Amino acid sequence: MPSYTVTVATGTQWFAGTDDYIYLILEGTAGCSERHLLDKPFYNDFERGAVDSYDVTVAEDLGEIQLLKIEKRKYWVHDDWYLRYITVKTPVGDHLEFPCYRWITEDKEIVLRDGRAKLHRDDKTQILKQHRRKELEERQKMYRWKEWHPGFPLSIDANCHSDLPRDIQFDSEKGVDFILNYSKAMENLYVNRFMHMFQSSWSDFADFEKIFVRISNTISEYVMQHWQEDFMFGYQFLNGCNPVMIKRCRELPTKLPVTTDMVECSLERNLTLEEEIKQGNIFLVDYELLDGIDANKTDPCTLQYLAAPICLLYKNMENKIVPIAIQINQTPGPDNPIFLPSDDKYDWLLAKIWVRSSDFHMHQTVTHLLRTHLISEVFGIAMFRQLPAVHPLFKLLVPHVRFTIAINTKAREQLICECGLFDKANATGGGGHVQMVQRATKELTYSSLCFPEEIKAKGMDSKEDIPYYYYRDDGIKVWEVVKSFTTDVIDIYYESDEVVCEDVELQAFVKDVYVYGMKGNKSSGFPKTIKTREKLSEYLTVAIFTASAQHAAVNFGQYDWCSWIPNSPPTMRQPPPTEKGTVTIEQIVESLPDRGRSCWHLGAVWALSQFQENELFLGMYPDEHFVEKPVKQAMMKFRKDLDEIVSVITERNKNKKLPYYYLSPNRIPNSVAV
């Protein structure tokens, strides 16, 4: 009688093991095995991290094994079980791998296919076609689109983390409880003692040091020491935690009536402002999106204010980017003066602080929330709805959506919801952040997610002209390596553009992103279909790069750049100045966040800057969804290419007072998970 050796690997997560009854059925081209009991309670099999083997004897040869069914029946209470994979050694010595990497919950049967990736056209038998169709039907019932707020990209239909399908929940919900994490962060940072003075002001800049935690050799301490300098102000537009706002100024906007006479003392080349613009030495940062956004009114005891500044910057003879003019609101006029470096010290400093505060709001709500978290969730939901586990693109993308839907659901539950944590410290809390996402979503384009294209569109692509833009340099390196990897994988499964066009599941995935995630907005430029391997490679690179590198670039520097409160105020408690020559140090301190809001802000940027426990970084794929040798070789090449980037970045950062490491691949998590 033929005998099959079945090896079962249980997950290493807490509570991954099970004491339930576990049954197995093998289904082949020549028949189906009986229902075999592999384990029953108290056998001590299927414990956390265990790999258990069994001999399964059948009456007659089953032919080529097509499906493997695992059934779990409860013994006493419902006992979730995390199954990593099953391998089957056939009577003729073949080894088949059946990846799972899923939770088996309640009394349930799951059906697995062997790990070889297959396109829809590759399935010839009715049983495989049926399994493929049934899997997607079940997933589409579990992963439903929902509009959380009008004007947002669509998200998952779940009110809280526990409503999510078990497979995409965090292993421990406690680890991503924002309230708990922020409170723990404030405790670790020794700032709890200031919370009872919630609305009281600090006495001066030095007073902020009471909540500032010095960590040896960190950027945050350098920021504290140099934040008032024009060089530090300009440098952050290139390599801070929001390095996406700056663009080359081709023509001075009429709403910013700066003249050569105004800025002459800042220009070093004996040229007029118009000539400097023509030579490409003038840059612009415009916070127009903030114009008219409602400021936070959730605390009747504290008035809070927003502005929509325009900042003009200049590349000086040392190739440093420095500010030369700031208008704090959009409409020019006598009550909206243009502030200059030649003005009184405190006038100029307060104008820069207003820009830094506005930059914080744009960073948190648009650069970070919308353009990494929400967009990655759109790709993730569409992937689960339209790509079966056997599809090569599911296998490619699934590591890059790990925990993304869960962290976003938790954020909607605790952070950005009405009366959520966002309201506690941020001037855009209480609904302003929602208005910002609604506006920014209308302007969001697919091309702006294509990293090199966006850098070029802003006129920031020349290394010769702008030599210290490390975000650009490292980002393009990582983009190209990710694109090379996606191209290698595509070439294994799609031998021609025609195969891409005919892949109905791929086209359904792309359509879901466009029609549901982006609500069919034509102006977004998101493709409705993909017709070439080249375009498919770009599309997958957008999905992977956004979830990994782009999120890393704008997330993990938050403590570095935002922990010194005056450099990145989450709220302003006085309106912008309407005339020059009146600003005092006392007025600036009264404008900055009070003690309580400073503490909440510090806890937030600390918690958001921490890597997850057991973080998986770019190129790390411990879950082996792919089993084919060519793909594993492509992964090895990918890791080698990433390691080379790490070496280049490490060498460049040696002895730098301001190292840039956010896009070093060994610091880029695979997915948006924090």
Side-chain angles (χ1 to χ4, degrees):
M1 296 173 71
S3 179
Y4 295 79
T5 302
V6 176
T7 302
V8 183
T10 296
T12 57
Q13 298 92 327
W14 286 107
F15 309 116
T18 184
D19 270 326
D20 289 342
Y21 294 93
I22 304 296
Y23 298 92
L24 170 80
I25 298 173
L26 298 173
E27 193 163 338
T29 51
C32 189
S33 75
E34 294 178 0
R35 186 167 171 261
H36 290 267
L37 176 64
L38 296 184
D39 184 51
K40 59 184 179 180
F42 311 118
Y43 263 41
N44 294 325
D45 284 359
F46 301 139
E47 294 186 325
R48 183 167 71 95
V51 178
D52 303 296
S53 290
Y54 308 88
D55 288 327
V56 174
T57 303
V58 297
E60 55 187 35
D61 184 65
L62 302 176
E64 183 183 344
I65 301 296
Q66 294 189 304
L67 299 174
L68 184 154
K69 298 178 180 178
I70 288 283
E71 185 182 324
K72 185 171 80 69
R73 297 294 171 199
K74 75 173 182 181
Y75 164 63
W76 185 247
V77 293
H78 285 306
D79 184 13
D80 294 353
W81 174 43
Y82 190 84
L83 173 59
R84 290 169 60 213
Y85 62 82
I86 294 177
T87 63
V88 176
K89 183 182 178 184
T90 69
V92 296
D94 292 336
H95 285 267
L96 304 176
E97 298 179 47
F98 292 81
C100 182
Y101 304 106
R102 288 161 54 192
W103 287 95
I104 304 176
T105 60
E106 302 176 343
D107 287 352
K108 193 174 180 182
E109 175 189 84
I110 66 162
V111 183
L112 302 178
R113 289 186 55 166
D114 80 77
R116 292 170 296 178
K118 301 286 185 184
L119 299 177
H120 184 270
R121 66 166 195 167
D122 297 329
D123 284 343
K124 306 301 183 187
T125 66
Q126 197 58 38
I127 189 171
L128 294 180
K129 289 178 181 178
Q130 186 179 357
H131 170 259
R132 197 175 192 117
R133 185 173 63 250
K134 189 176 177 185
E135 180 186 3
L136 289 181
E137 287 171 356
E138 288 176 358
R139 290 238 216 99
Q140 285 162 15
K141 290 174 187 173
M142 294 168 67
Y143 296 86
R144 302 174 305 277
W145 294 105
K146 180 182 179 181
E147 185 177 65
W148 187 64
H149 269 295
F152 273 52
L154 293 196
S155 50
I156 195 77
D157 184 5
N159 294 321
C160 59
H161 181 267
S162 57
D163 288 346
L164 295 172
R166 182 68 181 90
D167 287 328
I168 61 169
Q169 291 182 25
F170 281 100
D171 297 332
S172 168
E173 189 179 350
K174 191 176 175 183
V176 287
D177 187 299
F178 286 107
I179 296 169
L180 189 69
N181 286 354
Y182 285 19
S183 302
K184 195 186 298 179
M186 285 188 283
E187 191 179 308
N188 291 342
L189 297 167
Y190 307 109
V191 297
N192 276 342
R193 64 190 186 279
F194 297 105
M195 288 303 292
H196 69 283
M197 303 179 282
F198 200 82
Q199 277 127 356
S200 64
S201 297
W202 303 93
S203 55
D204 53 33
F205 293 144
D207 206 16
F208 282 98
E209 290 193 49
K210 290 179 180 175
I211 65 163
F212 184 74
V213 177
R214 282 186 176 79
I215 302 170
S216 180
N217 297 321
T218 62
I219 290 169
S220 56
E221 192 163 343
Y222 193 91
V223 172
M224 181 192 73
Q225 293 163 353
H226 299 278
W227 72 281
Q228 297 188 43
E229 298 170 19
D230 287 355
F231 154 72
M232 176 57 79
F233 179 87
Y235 179 85
Q236 292 179 73
F237 289 115
L238 299 178
N239 301 310
C241 64
N242 192 29
V244 304
M245 296 294 297
I246 190 168
K247 63 181 180 182
R248 200 183 293 272
C249 180
R250 304 294 187 191
E251 184 181 358
L252 204 63
T254 54
K255 63 184 179 181
L256 184 65
V258 178
T259 65
T260 299
D261 288 345
M262 286 180 175
V263 296
E264 194 169 19
C265 62
S266 297
L267 306 180
E268 299 178 354
R269 297 178 177 86
N270 296 318
L271 301 173
T272 66
L273 180 59
E274 289 71 23
E275 288 168 338
E276 292 279 18
I277 289 171
K278 282 181 183 173
Q279 288 207 2
N281 297 322
I282 303 295
F283 299 84
L284 190 72
V285 178
D286 189 349
Y287 297 93
E288 183 179 16
L289 188 132
L290 279 161
D291 192 28
I293 296 293
D294 294 331
N296 193 337
K297 294 182 178 65
T298 59
D299 179 2
C301 299
T302 304
L303 291 176
Q304 299 180 60
Y305 298 90
L306 291 168
I310 314 171
C311 181
L312 206 63
L313 299 122
Y314 176 62
K315 185 184 74 173
N316 65 20
M317 298 288 278
E318 295 179 317
N319 281 325
K320 291 178 179 176
I321 303 287
V322 292
I324 58 171
I326 293 170
Q327 183 177 284
I328 298 181
N329 275 302
Q330 292 285 305
T331 306
D335 60 348
N336 186 26
I338 295 172
F339 291 92
L340 306 165
S342 54
D343 290 340
D344 179 81
K345 173 185 176 182
Y346 291 130
D347 281 2
W348 181 235
L349 181 59
L350 183 55
K352 289 192 292 181
I353 289 172
W354 269 105
V355 173
R356 292 297 311 138
S357 184
S358 301
D359 194 75
F360 174 80
H361 299 312
M362 283 295 293
H363 166 261
Q364 287 291 352
T365 307
V366 179
T367 306
H368 184 207
L369 174 62
L370 171 63
R371 293 178 63 88
T372 63
H373 278 258
L374 300 185
I375 292 303
S376 292
E377 181 175 3
V378 164
F379 283 118
I381 297 169
M383 181 203 76
F384 281 115
R385 285 173 51 82
Q386 303 298 348
L387 298 176
V390 74
H391 198 290
L393 301 189
F394 178 92
K395 293 171 182 281
L396 178 67
L397 290 175
V398 71
H400 302 288
V401 300
R402 179 176 178 257
F403 298 147
T404 299
I405 300 172
I407 196 70
N408 287 1
T409 302
K410 202 71 181 172
R412 287 186 286 268
E413 192 183 344
Q414 291 185 332
L415 195 61
I416 58 174
C417 56
E418 193 174 343
C419 303
L421 292 178
F422 208 82
D423 293 354
K424 287 191 180 291
N426 296 330
T428 54
H433 60 302
V434 172
Q435 295 171 351
M436 288 179 70
V437 171
Q438 289 167 333
R439 286 187 185 182
T441 301
K442 286 180 184 175
E443 299 172 8
L444 177 68
T445 63
Y446 173 77
S447 64
S448 72
L449 299 175
C450 297
F451 189 85
E453 203 172 322
E454 175 68 350
I455 294 288
K456 191 170 185 178
K458 288 177 175 171
M460 300 296 292
D461 51 316
S462 171
K463 287 187 182 183
E464 291 73 26
D465 286 354
I466 315 160
Y468 305 118
Y469 197 9
Y470 305 126
Y471 164 74
R472 170 203 61 204
D473 299 341
D474 298 351
I476 285 175
K477 286 188 185 83
V478 175
W479 171 276
E480 288 173 348
V481 165
V482 171
K483 193 163 189 286
S484 174
F485 174 53
T486 61
T487 300
D488 288 344
V489 174
I490 288 164
D491 288 347
I492 293 167
Y493 298 100
Y494 296 89
E495 65 264 27
S496 66
D497 292 344
E498 188 180 7
V499 180
V500 171
C501 293
E502 292 172 355
D503 185 352
V504 292
E505 291 165 340
L506 160 62
Q507 302 303 338
F509 163 62
V510 173
K511 185 179 178 182
D512 236 35
V513 169
Y514 173 73
V515 171
Y516 293 103
M518 301 310 300
K519 297 180 174 176
N521 178 12
K522 288 183 182 178
S523 63
S524 72
F526 271 76
K528 301 176 193 176
T529 59
I530 288 181
K531 297 179 179 178
T532 67
R533 292 188 294 177
E534 176 63 27
K535 274 295 175 188
L536 177 55
S537 173
E538 178 189 83
Y539 193 82
L540 296 172
T541 303
V542 165
I544 294 171
F545 185 90
T546 300
S548 57
Q550 187 60 29
H551 179 256
V554 303
N555 182 71
F556 293 104
Q558 291 189 71
Y559 187 79
D560 287 348
W561 296 100
C562 303
S563 57
W564 179 245
I565 307 287
N567 185 61
S568 200
T571 190
M572 297 291 276
R573 297 179 299 136
Q574 296 291 326
T578 55
E579 57 182 338
K580 295 188 182 188
T582 63
V583 178
T584 64
I585 180 68
E586 290 77 18
Q587 185 183 342
I588 293 177
V589 173
E590 282 297 319
S591 296
L592 291 170
D594 54 43
R595 294 169 188 256
R597 287 180 176 83
S598 296
C599 295
W600 271 109
H601 169 81
L602 201 63
V605 297
W606 170 272
L608 291 170
S609 299
Q610 306 306 304
F611 292 122
Q612 289 278 355
E613 196 176 337
N614 303 320
E615 192 74 81
L616 296 175
F617 295 98
L618 198 56
M620 292 170 60
Y621 300 114
D623 293 356
E624 296 190 58
H625 291 276
F626 282 109
V627 301
E628 297 95 324
K629 191 175 179 182
V631 189
K632 292 190 175 184
Q633 288 171 338
M635 286 177 174
M636 285 173 61
K637 176 175 170 283
F638 184 36
R639 281 190 288 271
K640 183 172 175 288
D641 292 343
L642 292 170
D643 287 343
E644 288 174 7
I645 297 175
V646 172
S647 299
V648 170
I649 292 173
T650 303
E651 186 62 32
R652 181 196 66 209
N653 283 337
K654 277 183 182 174
N655 304 317
K656 271 194 183 298
K657 290 178 182 175
L658 277 175
Y660 187 81
Y661 43 70
Y662 308 116
L663 282 167
S664 183
N666 59 343
R667 299 176 68 100
I668 299 175
N670 266 332
S671 62
V672 176
V674 66

PDB file of all heavy atoms in Angstrom, residues 356-371:
ATOM      1  N   ARG A 356       7.683  75.370   9.721  1.00  0.00           N
ATOM      2  CA  ARG A 356       7.979  74.055  10.292  1.00  0.00           C
ATOM      3  C   ARG A 356       6.705  73.396  10.835  1.00  0.00           C
ATOM      4  O   ARG A 356       6.512  72.183  10.693  1.00  0.00           O
ATOM      5  CB  ARG A 356       9.016  74.172  11.416  1.00  0.00           C
ATOM      6  CG  ARG A 356      10.412  74.584  10.972  1.00  0.00           C
ATOM      7  CD  ARG A 356      11.086  73.597  10.043  1.00  0.00           C
ATOM      8  NE  ARG A 356      10.993  72.252  10.579  1.00  0.00           N
ATOM      9  CZ  ARG A 356      10.727  71.173   9.862  1.00  0.00           C
ATOM     10  NH1 ARG A 356      10.525  71.288   8.558  1.00  0.00           N
ATOM     11  NH2 ARG A 356      10.677  69.997  10.423  1.00  0.00           N
ATOM     12  N   SER A 357       5.836  74.177  11.453  1.00  0.00           N
ATOM     13  CA  SER A 357       4.582  73.620  11.966  1.00  0.00           C
ATOM     14  C   SER A 357       3.691  73.146  10.820  1.00  0.00           C
ATOM     15  O   SER A 357       3.109  72.055  10.876  1.00  0.00           O
ATOM     16  CB  SER A 357       3.846  74.673  12.806  1.00  0.00           C
ATOM     17  OG  SER A 357       2.681  74.121  13.385  1.00  0.00           O
ATOM     18  N   SER A 358       3.597  73.963   9.765  1.00  0.00           N
ATOM     19  CA  SER A 358       2.796  73.569   8.588  1.00  0.00           C
ATOM     20  C   SER A 358       3.377  72.330   7.932  1.00  0.00           C
ATOM     21  O   SER A 358       2.638  71.456   7.454  1.00  0.00           O
ATOM     22  CB  SER A 358       2.746  74.728   7.585  1.00  0.00           C
ATOM     23  OG  SER A 358       2.186  75.869   8.194  1.00  0.00           O
ATOM     24  N   ASP A 359       4.703  72.247   7.908  1.00  0.00           N
ATOM     25  CA  ASP A 359       5.359  71.074   7.326  1.00  0.00           C
ATOM     26  C   ASP A 359       5.005  69.821   8.119  1.00  0.00           C
ATOM     27  O   ASP A 359       4.785  68.750   7.544  1.00  0.00           O
ATOM     28  CB  ASP A 359       6.874  71.276   7.308  1.00  0.00           C
ATOM     29  CG  ASP A 359       7.581  70.263   6.435  1.00  0.00           C
ATOM     30  OD1 ASP A 359       7.513  70.390   5.199  1.00  0.00           O
ATOM     31  OD2 ASP A 359       8.183  69.318   6.982  1.00  0.00           O
ATOM     32  N   PHE A 360       4.930  69.957   9.442  1.00  0.00           N
ATOM     33  CA  PHE A 360       4.548  68.823  10.284  1.00  0.00           C
ATOM     34  C   PHE A 360       3.152  68.321   9.907  1.00  0.00           C
ATOM     35  O   PHE A 360       2.925  67.112   9.780  1.00  0.00           O
ATOM     36  CB  PHE A 360       4.580  69.222  11.766  1.00  0.00           C
ATOM     37  CG  PHE A 360       4.062  68.153  12.686  1.00  0.00           C
ATOM     38  CD1 PHE A 360       4.864  67.081  13.052  1.00  0.00           C
ATOM     39  CD2 PHE A 360       2.765  68.203  13.173  1.00  0.00           C
ATOM     40  CE1 PHE A 360       4.382  66.072  13.887  1.00  0.00           C
ATOM     41  CE2 PHE A 360       2.273  67.207  14.006  1.00  0.00           C
ATOM     42  CZ  PHE A 360       3.091  66.141  14.369  1.00  0.00           C
ATOM     43  N   HIS A 361       2.215  69.244   9.710  1.00  0.00           N
ATOM     44  CA  HIS A 361       0.845  68.833   9.364  1.00  0.00           C
ATOM     45  C   HIS A 361       0.792  68.146   7.998  1.00  0.00           C
ATOM     46  O   HIS A 361       0.112  67.123   7.827  1.00  0.00           O
ATOM     47  CB  HIS A 361      -0.089  70.042   9.377  1.00  0.00           C
ATOM     48  CG  HIS A 361      -0.176  70.720  10.702  1.00  0.00           C
ATOM     49  ND1 HIS A 361      -0.381  70.030  11.873  1.00  0.00           N
ATOM     50  CD2 HIS A 361      -0.067  72.031  11.055  1.00  0.00           C
ATOM     51  CE1 HIS A 361      -0.405  70.881  12.891  1.00  0.00           C
ATOM     52  NE2 HIS A 361      -0.202  72.087  12.418  1.00  0.00           N
ATOM     53  N   MET A 362       1.503  68.703   7.027  1.00  0.00           N
ATOM     54  CA  MET A 362       1.531  68.080   5.697  1.00  0.00           C
ATOM     55  C   MET A 362       2.176  66.700   5.772  1.00  0.00           C
ATOM     56  O   MET A 362       1.715  65.751   5.130  1.00  0.00           O
ATOM     57  CB  MET A 362       2.304  68.968   4.723  1.00  0.00           C
ATOM     58  CG  MET A 362       1.528  70.169   4.242  1.00  0.00           C
ATOM     59  SD  MET A 362       0.079  69.747   3.245  1.00  0.00           S
ATOM     60  CE  MET A 362       0.858  69.056   1.794  1.00  0.00           C
ATOM     61  N   HIS A 363       3.228  66.610   6.574  1.00  0.00           N
ATOM     62  CA  HIS A 363       3.922  65.332   6.704  1.00  0.00           C
ATOM     63  C   HIS A 363       2.996  64.270   7.284  1.00  0.00           C
ATOM     64  O   HIS A 363       2.830  63.187   6.721  1.00  0.00           O
ATOM     65  CB  HIS A 363       5.162  65.476   7.586  1.00  0.00           C
ATOM     66  CG  HIS A 363       5.723  64.162   8.014  1.00  0.00           C
ATOM     67  ND1 HIS A 363       5.460  63.610   9.253  1.00  0.00           N
ATOM     68  CD2 HIS A 363       6.487  63.259   7.361  1.00  0.00           C
ATOM     69  CE1 HIS A 363       6.054  62.433   9.339  1.00  0.00           C
ATOM     70  NE2 HIS A 363       6.680  62.203   8.204  1.00  0.00           N
ATOM     71  N   GLN A 364       2.405  64.572   8.436  1.00  0.00           N
ATOM     72  CA  GLN A 364       1.605  63.569   9.126  1.00  0.00           C
ATOM     73  C   GLN A 364       0.413  63.110   8.305  1.00  0.00           C
ATOM     74  O   GLN A 364       0.121  61.913   8.219  1.00  0.00           O
ATOM     75  CB  GLN A 364       1.102  64.129  10.469  1.00  0.00           C
ATOM     76  CG  GLN A 364       2.165  64.242  11.532  1.00  0.00           C
ATOM     77  CD  GLN A 364       2.644  62.885  12.025  1.00  0.00           C
ATOM     78  OE1 GLN A 364       2.091  61.842  11.689  1.00  0.00           O
ATOM     79  NE2 GLN A 364       3.705  62.883  12.810  1.00  0.00           N
ATOM     80  N   THR A 365      -0.294  64.071   7.708  1.00  0.00           N
ATOM     81  CA  THR A 365      -1.598  63.766   7.124  1.00  0.00           C
ATOM     82  C   THR A 365      -1.527  63.359   5.658  1.00  0.00           C
ATOM     83  O   THR A 365      -2.247  62.462   5.232  1.00  0.00           O
ATOM     84  CB  THR A 365      -2.531  64.989   7.288  1.00  0.00           C
ATOM     85  OG1 THR A 365      -2.542  65.363   8.667  1.00  0.00           O
ATOM     86  CG2 THR A 365      -3.937  64.663   6.858  1.00  0.00           C
ATOM     87  N   VAL A 366      -0.648  63.999   4.903  1.00  0.00           N
ATOM     88  CA  VAL A 366      -0.584  63.726   3.461  1.00  0.00           C
ATOM     89  C   VAL A 366       0.578  62.791   3.126  1.00  0.00           C
ATOM     90  O   VAL A 366       0.382  61.681   2.607  1.00  0.00           O
ATOM     91  CB  VAL A 366      -0.498  65.037   2.660  1.00  0.00           C
ATOM     92  CG1 VAL A 366      -0.416  64.731   1.154  1.00  0.00           C
ATOM     93  CG2 VAL A 366      -1.702  65.927   2.963  1.00  0.00           C
ATOM     94  N   THR A 367       1.808  63.235   3.440  1.00  0.00           N
ATOM     95  CA  THR A 367       2.989  62.441   3.082  1.00  0.00           C
ATOM     96  C   THR A 367       2.955  61.066   3.739  1.00  0.00           C
ATOM     97  O   THR A 367       3.246  60.051   3.096  1.00  0.00           O
ATOM     98  CB  THR A 367       4.272  63.174   3.516  1.00  0.00           C
ATOM     99  OG1 THR A 367       4.262  64.495   2.974  1.00  0.00           O
ATOM    100  CG2 THR A 367       5.511  62.436   3.051  1.00  0.00           C
ATOM    101  N   HIS A 368       2.592  61.016   5.010  1.00  0.00           N
ATOM    102  CA  HIS A 368       2.659  59.773   5.775  1.00  0.00           C
ATOM    103  C   HIS A 368       1.349  58.985   5.709  1.00  0.00           C
ATOM    104  O   HIS A 368       1.305  57.868   5.198  1.00  0.00           O
ATOM    105  CB  HIS A 368       3.033  60.109   7.230  1.00  0.00           C
ATOM    106  CG  HIS A 368       3.225  58.915   8.105  1.00  0.00           C
ATOM    107  ND1 HIS A 368       3.022  58.947   9.460  1.00  0.00           N
ATOM    108  CD2 HIS A 368       3.597  57.641   7.826  1.00  0.00           C
ATOM    109  CE1 HIS A 368       3.255  57.747   9.975  1.00  0.00           C
ATOM    110  NE2 HIS A 368       3.606  56.946   9.002  1.00  0.00           N
ATOM    111  N   LEU A 369       0.250  59.585   6.213  1.00  0.00           N
ATOM    112  CA  LEU A 369      -1.019  58.853   6.292  1.00  0.00           C
ATOM    113  C   LEU A 369      -1.560  58.482   4.917  1.00  0.00           C
ATOM    114  O   LEU A 369      -1.768  57.306   4.613  1.00  0.00           O
ATOM    115  CB  LEU A 369      -2.048  59.684   7.066  1.00  0.00           C
ATOM    116  CG  LEU A 369      -3.481  59.110   7.095  1.00  0.00           C
ATOM    117  CD1 LEU A 369      -3.513  57.758   7.785  1.00  0.00           C
ATOM    118  CD2 LEU A 369      -4.432  60.089   7.774  1.00  0.00           C
ATOM    119  N   LEU A 370      -1.787  59.479   4.079  1.00  0.00           N
ATOM    120  CA  LEU A 370      -2.416  59.208   2.780  1.00  0.00           C
ATOM    121  C   LEU A 370      -1.489  58.466   1.830  1.00  0.00           C
ATOM    122  O   LEU A 370      -1.854  57.417   1.289  1.00  0.00           O
ATOM    123  CB  LEU A 370      -2.867  60.522   2.131  1.00  0.00           C
ATOM    124  CG  LEU A 370      -3.346  60.414   0.671  1.00  0.00           C
ATOM    125  CD1 LEU A 370      -4.583  59.520   0.562  1.00  0.00           C
ATOM    126  CD2 LEU A 370      -3.623  61.794   0.089  1.00  0.00           C
ATOM    127  N   ARG A 371      -0.276  58.988   1.643  1.00  0.00           N
ATOM    128  CA  ARG A 371       0.556  58.535   0.531  1.00  0.00           C
ATOM    129  C   ARG A 371       1.378  57.280   0.843  1.00  0.00           C
ATOM    130  O   ARG A 371       2.051  56.764  -0.036  1.00  0.00           O
ATOM    131  CB  ARG A 371       1.453  59.676   0.060  1.00  0.00           C
ATOM    132  CG  ARG A 371       0.657  60.822  -0.566  1.00  0.00           C
ATOM    133  CD  ARG A 371       1.572  61.962  -0.986  1.00  0.00           C
ATOM    134  NE  ARG A 371       2.502  61.521  -2.003  1.00  0.00           N
ATOM    135  CZ  ARG A 371       2.266  61.536  -3.311  1.00  0.00           C
ATOM    136  NH1 ARG A 371       1.102  61.973  -3.771  1.00  0.00           N
ATOM    137  NH2 ARG A 371       3.179  61.129  -4.163  1.00  0.00           N
TER     138      ARG A 371
END
